[in-house]
Amino acid sequence: DGGITQSPKYLFRKEGQNVTLSCEQNLNHDAMYWYRQDPGQGLRLIYYSQIVNDFQKGDIAEGYSVSREKKESFPLTVTSAQKNPTAFYLCASSPGGADTQYFGPGTRLTVL
Amino acid sequence: AQSVSQHNHHVILSEAASLELGCNYSYGGTVNLFWYVQYPGQHLQLLLKYFSGDPLVKGIKGFEAEFIKSKFSFNLRKPSVQWSDTAEYFCASSTGNNRKLIWGLGTSLAVNP
């Protein structure tokens, strides 16, 4: 069954801790994306990757880091430098170009 | 900078009412336009998209949207909504072959049975 998986669904962390959110896709898509969704603010792009071993900052990259060592995986690390990390994080992938993005179920991160 | 605006943040309708959600984009060149929907507790998924050709685009679940270039608009319509259409709706655009999507802030639709 093809798709995008994100884990965990809910994540709690203490202030000052780094945490890594997983995103895996078996759609053989070249491009992958990380978004943050806050109520009333739509989706804001954190990082995106068009190809393995390459990624670009989105609109709100500060306090986040990513890697793209494998085509199917694009983990996001929320560092202690992110001032307001509590949010819903969405991962997406697309075949390439300007085509449709396909989304995972999301991870809700809460910083205690 | 390219932007997408959605006119209504919250819409409340009764079942069988007609729906029109507004979306305007700012880019003057070639655009690709999308409507996505997020049902409660479900993945964000594509409703419909416009790349080129017929400006009236039909999507899933009876939704359609019309691309009007002169008005920079891509409004979403459905003639008769159902309770199951309760969701958040997002309009998005991209330009040319750019893989980045520009998103509107979303419209929350509540349909009363």
Side-chain angles (χ1 to χ4, degrees):
Chain A
D1 190 22
I4 301 174
T5 56
Q6 292 185 243
S7 61
K9 188 172 182 179
Y10 298 96
L11 188 57
F12 298 88
R13 77 150 213 221
K14 294 181 180 178
E15 275 193 42
Q17 289 180 338
N18 293 354
V19 62
T20 298
L21 282 58
S22 167
C23 178
E24 304 278 331
Q25 55 102 355
N26 61 5
L27 302 169
N28 200 34
H29 287 171
D30 286 324
M32 296 187 74
Y33 310 80
W34 273 105
Y35 292 94
R36 172 181 171 138
Q37 185 178 16
D38 297 283
Q41 297 195 48
L43 275 69
R44 293 183 290 168
L45 183 64
I46 303 172
Y47 269 97
Y48 66 107
S49 168
Q50 299 186 53
I51 198 167
V52 175
N53 292 322
D54 185 52
F55 49 83
Q56 288 81 40
K57 292 182 179 179
D59 302 315
I60 56 164
E62 186 175 349
Y64 300 98
S65 66
V66 293
S67 63
R68 186 87 187 276
E69 297 175 3
K70 298 185 295 183
K71 187 175 187 178
E72 58 270 23
S73 178
F74 191 42
L76 173 74
T77 297
V78 184
T79 75
S80 56
Q82 169 50 233
K83 299 303 180 188
N84 186 21
T86 294
F88 188 54
Y89 291 88
L90 286 168
C91 179
S93 71
S94 70
D99 210 336
T100 305
Q101 292 184 16
Y102 297 84
F103 285 82
T107 292
R108 188 165 298 280
L109 172 65
T110 302
V111 175
L112 305 172
Chain B
Q2 188 185 358
S3 66
V4 172
S5 61
Q6 293 184 236
H7 307 161
N8 313 96
H9 295 299
H10 300 283
V11 174
I12 301 174
L13 296 173
S14 298
E15 275 195 320
S18 64
L19 170 72
E20 181 160 2
L21 300 182
C23 173
N24 285 93
Y25 62 93
S26 64
Y27 186 68
T30 301
V31 290
N32 308 304
L33 295 159
F34 305 80
W35 275 99
Y36 282 82
V37 61
Q38 191 173 32
Y39 297 105
Q42 294 189 27
H43 298 204
L44 198 66
Q45 60 184 283
L46 181 73
L47 262 183
L48 47 79
K49 63 183 178 183
Y50 172 80
F51 280 14
S52 63
D54 189 342
L56 184 61
V57 179
K58 295 194 183 297
I60 61 172
K61 304 188 179 187
F63 286 91
E64 65 178 32
E66 185 174 11
F67 170 58
I68 303 179
K69 189 173 182 179
S70 61
K71 296 185 178 180
F72 296 88
S73 71
F74 190 57
N75 293 354
L76 181 71
R77 301 193 294 247
K78 186 171 184 179
S80 176
V81 294
Q82 301 172 313
W83 176 78
S84 58
D85 293 323
T86 293
E88 188 142 16
Y89 293 82
F90 293 93
C91 183
S93 74
S94 67
T95 59
N97 209 35
N98 192 334
R99 299 184 186 202
K100 287 177 60 176
L101 286 180
I102 307 300
W103 294 83
L105 296 182
T107 297
S108 175
L109 171 66
V111 179
N112 295 323

